[in-house]
Amino acid sequence: MYGAAPDRTAELALLLEVAGTPKPGNVDRHRDLEDLRFEHFLAGAVGARDGLELAANGAAVGPAFERAVEGMATQEGGNTQFGALLLLVPLVRAAGDELSQPVVEGVLEGTTVADAAAFYRAFEHVDVFVADPPEGMAPLDVRRGAAAIQTLEERGLTLLDVMDRSVPGDDVAREWVTGFERSFAAAERLAAAEGPILERTAAVFLSLLAERPDTLVANRSGEAVAAEATERAAALVERDALETDRDAVEAFADELVDRGINPGTTADVTAAGLFIALEHETVTL
């Protein structure tokens, strides 16, 4: 990008993601949620810096992630970027080499039981919405936090194992088991788009929402609501509404906020795509 260390690039990616607008249903620079505001995301990105720096310096993924979440949570809004950090920390760790899907996969495959334990401890720093665990995973419900670590250790589950068992209900976990498939695709879309980076960010977010129902929305509001949001986003993308009828996208964004429909997982993947594109220098500021 401009010679910045990967941790600084990741911080920038978090800031650019929240500043892109309109991003239907999400906090952006024109929209706040009832208890979660734009400035909380700015503070969360800055607060995560120490954990991102640990990852950039070669620390294990789990402890770096836990530290990033602990720092993120110091602002008063609560959970701002938990899912985004779960994507960014291994990407930052991988960026010490040439950032590619095989390199990222190597980082993920190298995670340990200790990394999984740190991941569980991260849930004790901030309240994160999660769905009920899959069948057979109740003793490993992440809402148990550190209380689940003994079970993790008894079963010998690495952090990648935990992510694998969280699919298909969580698309952040899905990124882990698909080699960050959508994140790298998002980076390619950002590079191919035109205009200022924040306009590209909004366009890529909408395209991601249009192609796949958001799992956070599905878990909070039901699969039918998630499918509806995706169908409506797809219709806007099909007619290039950000260029031809921006008011329609703005109205859609306002409606989703009013209805409490928050495609947060889509925003997480957008942030990861921004980081990859910035690291590859396929987008510049």
Side-chain angles (χ1 to χ4, degrees):
M1 183 188 61
Y2 49 80
D7 52 303
R8 297 299 186 255
T9 302
E11 181 183 5
L12 177 59
L14 290 171
L15 295 170
L16 292 174
E17 187 285 313
V18 73
T21 186
K23 298 197 314 298
N26 282 28
V27 171
D28 60 29
R29 68 183 188 276
H30 294 163
R31 292 169 186 82
D32 294 326
L33 304 184
E34 184 175 354
D35 298 316
L36 195 57
R37 302 190 302 274
F38 180 68
E39 61 265 30
H40 291 142
F41 280 79
L42 302 182
V46 173
R49 179 184 296 164
D50 288 350
L52 293 168
E53 185 176 13
L54 285 175
N57 290 336
V61 169
F65 173 72
E66 183 188 1
R67 181 65 188 87
V69 169
E70 182 182 14
M72 175 208 75
T74 56
Q75 41 73 34
E76 295 180 356
N79 176 26
T80 49
Q81 294 123 328
F82 189 98
L85 290 170
L86 189 53
L87 298 178
L88 286 171
V89 166
L91 287 171
V92 169
R93 180 70 175 77
D97 299 305
E98 181 179 351
L99 184 59
S100 66
Q101 286 184 269
V103 172
V104 175
E105 288 170 349
V107 169
L108 304 178
E109 290 166 0
T111 59
T112 64
V113 176
D115 289 315
F119 169 72
Y120 273 74
R121 286 194 297 269
F123 284 86
E124 300 192 342
H125 297 299
V126 66
D127 184 19
V128 180
F129 177 86
V130 292
D132 291 336
E135 185 177 352
M137 289 283 284
L140 290 168
D141 188 338
V142 292
R143 291 169 292 194
R144 298 185 65 211
I149 291 176
Q150 182 177 346
T151 304
L152 273 176
E153 293 172 344
E154 290 171 353
R155 298 189 185 184
L157 297 177
T158 70
L159 185 48
L160 180 57
D161 291 333
V162 172
M163 294 298 107
D164 184 60
R165 286 158 173 75
S166 300
V167 178
D170 184 336
D171 270 4
V172 170
R174 182 178 181 271
E175 286 297 279
W176 272 61
V177 302
T178 62
F180 282 54
E181 178 182 76
R182 297 184 77 209
S183 299
F184 277 89
E188 292 177 359
R189 293 179 196 179
L190 284 159
E194 298 180 353
I197 186 62
L198 296 184
E199 295 295 317
R200 298 187 193 198
T201 298
V204 169
F205 173 91
L206 192 64
S207 76
L208 290 168
L209 181 58
E211 73 181 8
R212 186 175 177 86
D214 188 284
T215 50
L216 180 61
V217 175
N219 289 329
R220 276 183 168 171
S221 303
E223 292 183 2
V225 173
E228 175 207 343
T230 285
E231 289 168 5
R232 293 179 63 186
L236 291 168
V237 169
E238 184 176 3
R239 59 190 177 95
D240 196 20
L242 275 170
E243 293 293 330
T244 64
D245 189 5
R246 190 180 183 90
D247 287 347
V249 185
E250 297 279 2
F252 180 47
D254 290 337
E255 179 193 336
L256 291 193
V257 168
D258 290 343
R259 292 171 61 189
I261 298 171
N262 171 219
T265 302
T266 305
D268 297 335
V269 175
T270 302
L274 279 162
F275 173 77
I276 295 166
L278 290 165
E279 274 294 305
H280 287 172
E281 298 186 355
T282 54
V283 297
T284 56
L285 302 182

